[in-house]
């Protein structure tokens, strides 16, 4: 499995972007995923791919009893411990694929990390086993219409560089894609919408809500290019629960 967030150049660029506060996370993905969160009061949370702990801290501020944040990247976990520490948060530096908890959680969340996991089917089996009765699993991931194509830049433009439309191709070919994002060779995994949904259903998770978010109004002012989220969604947010 790749650990691109421990690549020095990638990490520097990524954190600098996140700290700018002018990102797709701030105006598109985070408002959407937060909008489907349940009441956190006295609930235990597992955050898969917790990064620098922004969401873990948010859960605590909303009343979560405990948060366990897991991430493969030492850079991320070190930053989380430095900037988003709390007595009720435990950060674990480990690949999601190797988790082996003895306990279960009320809520499992994952924000933009699941497209880095190769074996989605195995992941969902594990998540189901880590959920309490009535537990919920809520995650965001890159939208399949964005991850589908082998080439990274999907905008088809006219001779003046105006965006004509978004190209979708290779949709049914699930699997590895290599993109250039700050550095060459960032690996993600493409899955179809039906695989994302049906794997949850097969494992006894009931789909409660799907969001293909657009930018909020502040985002449209601060990042005008977010108007393109109306033309094609970059992310999908899926809320599921044990039925
Ligand atoms: C786009 S960042 C999102 C971080 C955080 N969830 C947030 O929203 O701020 C993706 C995170 O997933 C982590 N990640 C990627 N593959 C992983 C794996 N196999 N196991 C654990 N964490 C992983 C990365 O290290 C990175 O911190």
């Amino acid at each position: 499995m790749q650990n691109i967030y421990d690549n020095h150049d990638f990490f520097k660029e990524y954190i600098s972007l996140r700290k700018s506060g002018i990102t797709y996370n701030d105006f598109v993905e985070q408002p959407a995923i937060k909008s489907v969160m349940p009441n956190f009061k006295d609930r235990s949370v597992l955050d898969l791919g917790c990064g620098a702990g922004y969401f873990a801290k948010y859960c605590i501020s909303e009343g979560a009893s405990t948060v366990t944040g897991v991430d493969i990247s030492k850079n991320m976990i070190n930053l989380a411990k430095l900037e988003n520490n709390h007595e009720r948060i435990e950060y674990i530096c480990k690949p999601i694929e190797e988790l082996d908890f003895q306990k279960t959680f009320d809520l499992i969340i994952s924000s933009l990390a699941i497209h880095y996991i190769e074996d989605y089917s195995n992941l969902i089996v594990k998540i189901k086993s880590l959920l309490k009765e009535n537990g919920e699993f809520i995650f965001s991931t890159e939208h399949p219409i964005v991850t589908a194509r082998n080439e990274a830049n999907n905008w088809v433009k006219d001779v003046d560089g105006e965006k004509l439309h978004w190209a979708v191709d290779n949709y049914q070919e699930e699997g590895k894609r290599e993109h250039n994002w700050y550095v060459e060779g960032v690996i993600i995994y493409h899955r179809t919408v039906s695989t994302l949904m049906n794997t949850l259903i097969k494992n006894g998770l009931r789909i409660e809500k799907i969001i293909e978010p657009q930018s909020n109004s502040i985002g449209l002012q601060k990042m005008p290019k977010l108007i393109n989220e109306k033309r094609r969604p970059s992310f999908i947010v899926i809320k599921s629960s044990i039925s």
Side-chain angles (χ1 to χ4, degrees), residues 137-182:
F137 172 47
I138 303 173
F139 71 103
S140 61
T141 188
E142 287 191 4
H143 199 291
I145 67 165
V146 170
T147 56
R149 201 158 171 250
N150 291 321
E151 292 78 28
N153 187 0
N154 299 50
W155 285 113
V156 177
K157 296 178 182 170
D158 67 13
V159 284
D160 301 319
E162 284 297 313
K163 293 182 171 87
L164 292 174
H165 46 258
W166 182 260
V168 176
D169 203 352
N170 318 106
Y171 184 79
Q172 302 286 11
E173 292 165 33
E174 297 192 314
K176 188 170 161 184
R177 303 287 190 269
E178 270 191 47
H179 291 160
N180 180 2
W181 188 33
Y182 300 133

Side-chain angles (χ1 to χ4, degrees), residues 2-98:
Q2 191 181 46
N3 179 0
I4 199 72
Y5 291 76
D6 276 353
N7 173 301
H8 176 267
D9 296 337
F10 181 94
F11 182 71
K12 206 172 113 209
E13 296 289 342
Y14 176 80
I15 288 300
S16 140
L17 178 73
R18 287 302 295 272
K19 290 199 166 179
S20 73
I22 309 287
T23 67
Y24 283 74
N25 306 71
D26 293 287
F27 305 126
V28 183
E29 184 266 345
Q30 283 290 299
I33 198 167
K34 285 177 178 168
S35 78
V36 292
M37 287 293 155
N39 190 338
F40 285 96
K41 188 96 183 78
D42 299 328
R43 302 186 89 197
S44 55
V45 181
L46 173 62
D47 182 352
L48 299 176
C50 64
Y54 305 122
F55 207 87
K57 203 61 179 287
Y58 170 76
C59 297
I60 291 292
S61 73
E62 294 290 307
S65 58
T66 59
V67 182
T68 306
V70 176
D71 203 285
I72 195 173
S73 158
K74 278 199 191 89
N75 283 340
M76 283 297 203
I77 291 292
N78 288 343
L79 190 62
K81 286 180 175 169
L82 198 68
E83 296 190 353
N84 288 306
N85 221 354
H86 191 278
E87 59 193 8
R88 301 205 306 276
I89 304 179
E90 180 190 16
Y91 290 113
I92 300 172
C93 190
K94 208 172 191 180
I96 293 168
E97 294 89 332
E98 292 173 14

Side-chain angles (χ1 to χ4, degrees), residues 92-110:
I92 300 172
C93 190
K94 208 172 191 180
I96 293 168
E97 294 89 332
E98 292 173 14
L99 286 182
D100 53 357
F101 289 111
Q102 298 308 314
K103 56 184 173 182
T104 51
F105 299 86
D106 294 306
L107 174 62
I108 300 183
I109 68 117
S110 184

